[in-house]
C-alpha cells in the first residue's frame, strides 16, 4: 500500500512538472530576452532615404534597430518569388534587400479627419525551437507600423501589430488631445504590452518639428517591438541599411520569370488573403481551438475584408472579430477605447 501511494505521489509530481514546463514554454513564446550591452547593442539600423519636399511617407517613416541582424531571419527583407516544384512560383523573403511597403489612407471619425501612413515589413521567419520556444514560429512573418496624422500633419498616434493581427500596441504622442485618450490611460512612464515595456507616450520637441524620427527596436527572433524612442533625424545613418519603398498594392504582383507575376497572398480557397506558406503550427495547436480560427496567427493581407477575403482582427475573442478589424480604423480605434 505504501509503495502504491509513493508511486502515485511520484506520478503526480511528474505531472505537475510537465504542466509547469508546458506553461513555461507557452509563455516564453511571448517573451524577449533582455540585452545587457549598450543602448543599441550593435543593432542593425534600417531606414528609407531621407525625405524631400512634401513626402509625408518619407518624413514619418520609422527607423528600425534590429537586434542580432547578422542572422538572416532578423533582417528586413523583400517578398520575392523563385522557381519551386513543377516550375511554379514559390514565395520567400529575400533578406539581402530591405523593402518598406507603404500606403497613405485617410479616415474620418465623429470628430475629425486623419491620415494614416502605413508601413509594412517582412522577415524570413520566426525560427522554431524549444530553447527558446517561440509560439509564433513560422515563415514569411511581418510587422505593421501605422502613423496617424492630424489635420496639421502632426503625428498623434503610433499603432503597431504583427501582420497576423497579434501583439497590438498603441503609443500616443504629445500632439494627442487629452480628451481623445482612452479612460484610465496612464500618461508618462511605461506600459506593458504582452510582456514588453514600451513608452506610454512619445514626447516630440515641438520647436524642432520635422527634425525628429521615431526609432523602433525589434527583438531577436520574435520580431517583437522591444522599445520605441525619438531621435534627431538622420542620427546614426552613417551605418544605415537603406531600404527601398514600394506600394502596398505591389504585394499582389511580385515579379517572376518571363514577365509573369505571383501574389504574395492566397487568392482563393480557405486561406484566401493569407500570406503563402505562413502556417503557425504552435498557435494552431494551442490557440485555434478556443479562438475558433484554424488560421490563427497566420500572416495576412491588410485591407478590406470584402477584397482580401480575411478580417484583420486584433482581438482573439471571436465575437469581437469584425469590431476589432484594424482596416476599418475609425471603428477599430473606438473598439479599443480611443475617442478621436
Amino acid at each position: 500500500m505504501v509503495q502504491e501511494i509513493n508511486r502515485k505521489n511520484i506520478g503526480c509530481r511528474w505531472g505537475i512538472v510537465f504542466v509547469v514546463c508546458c506553461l513555461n514554454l507557452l509563455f516564453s513564446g511571448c517573451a524577449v530576452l533582455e540585452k545587457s550591452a549598450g543602448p543599441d547593442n550593435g543593432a542593425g539600423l534600417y531606414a528609407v532615404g531621407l525625405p524631400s519636399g512634401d513626402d509625408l511617407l518619407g518624413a514619418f517613416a520609422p527607423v528600425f534597430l534590429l537586434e542580432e541582424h547578422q542572422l538572416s531571419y532578423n533582417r528586413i527583407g523583400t517578398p520575392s518569388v523563385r522557381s519551386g516544384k513543377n516550375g511554379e512560383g514559390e514565395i520567400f523573403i529575400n533578406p539581402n534587400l530591405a523593402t518598406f511597403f507603404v500606403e497613405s489612407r485617410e479616415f474620418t471619425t465623429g470628430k475629425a479627419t486623419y491620415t494614416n501612413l502605413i508601413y509594412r515589413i517582412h522577415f524570413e521567419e520566426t525560427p522554431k525551437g524549444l530553447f527558446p520556444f517561440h509560439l509564433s514560429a513560422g515563415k514569411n512573418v511581418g510587422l505593421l507600423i501605422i502613423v496617424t496624422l492630424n489635420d496639421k500633419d502632426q503625428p498623434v498616434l503610433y499603432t503597431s501589430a504583427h501582420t497576423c493581427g497579434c501583439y497590438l500596441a498603441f503609443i500616443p504622442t504629445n500632439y494627442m488631445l487629452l480628451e481623445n485618450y482612452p479612460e484610465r490611460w496612464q500618461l508618462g512612464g511605461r506600459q506593458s504590452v504582452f510582456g514588453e515595456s514600451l513608452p506610454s507616450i512619445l514626447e516630440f520637441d515641438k520647436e524642432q518639428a520635422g527634425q525628429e524620427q521615431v526609432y523602433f527596436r525589434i527583438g531577436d527572433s520574435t520580431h517583437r517591438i522591444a522599445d520605441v524612442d525619438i531621435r534627431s533625424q538622420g542620427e546614426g545613418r552613417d551605418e544605415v541599411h537603406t531600404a527601398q519603398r514600394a506600394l502596398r498594392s505591389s504585394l499582389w504582383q511580385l515579379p517572376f520569370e518571363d514577365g509573369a507575376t505571383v501574389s504574395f497572398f492566397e487568392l482563393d480557397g480557405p486561406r484566401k488573403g493569407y500570406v503563402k506558406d505562413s502556417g503557425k503550427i504552435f498557435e494552431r495547436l494551442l490557440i485555434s481551438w478556443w479562438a475558433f480560427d484554424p488560421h490563427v496567427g497566420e500572416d495576412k493581407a491588410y485591407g478590406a475584408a470584402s477584397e482580401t477575403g480575411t478580417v484583420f482582427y486584433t482581438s482573439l475573442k471571436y465575437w469581437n472579430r469584425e469590431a476589432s478589424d484594424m482596416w476599418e480604423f475609425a471603428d477599430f480605434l473606438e473598439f479599443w477605447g480611443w475617442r478621436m
Side-chain angles (χ1 to χ4, degrees), residues 2-224:
V2 173
Q3 290 179 344
E4 183 178 350
I5 292 174
N6 285 339
R7 283 196 296 270
K8 289 181 179 180
N9 286 340
I10 292 171
C12 182
R13 291 193 194 101
W14 277 112
I16 293 172
V17 169
F18 176 76
V19 170
V20 170
C21 289
C22 288
L23 290 173
N24 180 58
L25 287 173
L26 175 60
F27 288 107
S28 66
C30 297
V32 175
L33 296 176
E34 294 183 358
K35 304 294 181 180
S36 58
D40 283 345
N41 199 47
L45 191 70
Y46 284 72
V48 294
L50 289 172
S52 60
D54 297 326
D55 179 16
L56 290 177
L57 281 164
F60 292 99
V63 179
F64 294 100
L65 288 161
L66 303 178
E67 295 180 351
E68 304 297 337
H69 71 110
Q70 76 278 6
L71 300 172
S72 65
Y73 55 73
N74 283 332
R75 296 199 293 268
I76 297 172
T78 297
S80 306
V81 189
R82 61 191 170 199
S83 183
K85 294 180 180 179
N86 302 320
E88 296 179 355
E90 178 184 83
I91 294 295
F92 73 105
I93 307 299
N94 177 6
N96 299 315
L97 177 64
T99 301
F100 291 14
F101 293 89
V102 303
E103 181 180 17
S104 176
R105 183 169 182 261
E106 284 191 354
F107 69 94
T108 301
T109 68
K111 292 183 177 181
T113 296
Y114 299 90
T115 300
N116 271 350
L117 305 178
I118 302 165
Y119 304 89
R120 179 174 182 141
I121 58 175
H122 275 274
F123 304 89
E124 275 187 309
E125 64 174 341
T126 294
K128 295 182 176 69
L130 290 178
F131 301 102
F133 171 80
H134 301 308
L135 180 64
S136 57
K139 295 170 63 176
N140 302 336
V141 297
L143 178 67
L144 276 173
I145 303 291
I146 297 179
V147 184
T148 302
L149 308 181
N150 61 19
D151 58 2
K152 298 178 182 178
D153 289 337
Q154 297 166 326
V156 295
L157 181 67
Y158 285 75
T159 305
S160 70
H162 286 208
T163 52
C164 54
C166 51
Y167 299 122
L168 174 68
F170 296 103
I171 307 179
T173 79
N174 54 333
Y175 288 110
M176 175 75 75
L177 299 176
L178 290 176
E179 65 192 45
N180 291 344
Y181 280 87
E183 295 181 7
R184 295 184 294 277
W185 187 273
Q186 298 296 317
L187 284 173
R190 312 283 290 182
Q191 57 170 317
S192 178
V193 181
F194 298 100
E196 298 287 358
S197 175
L198 302 178
S200 63
I201 186 171
L202 289 172
E203 297 276 358
F204 283 93
D205 183 344
K206 295 182 179 181
E207 294 182 358
Q208 300 292 322
Q211 302 302 311
E212 297 176 307
Q213 284 186 292
V214 176
Y215 283 57
F216 287 81
R217 186 180 188 86
I218 307 300
D220 169 30
S221 301
T222 63
H223 313 120
R224 294 283 308 282

Side-chain angles (χ1 to χ4, degrees), residues 291-316:
F292 293 93
D293 182 4
H295 304 299
V296 68
E298 296 180 11
D299 297 80
K300 62 184 75 171
Y302 179 62
S306 59
E307 297 177 4
T308 66
T310 183
V311 178
F312 201 95
Y313 65 84
T314 53
S315 169
L316 280 174

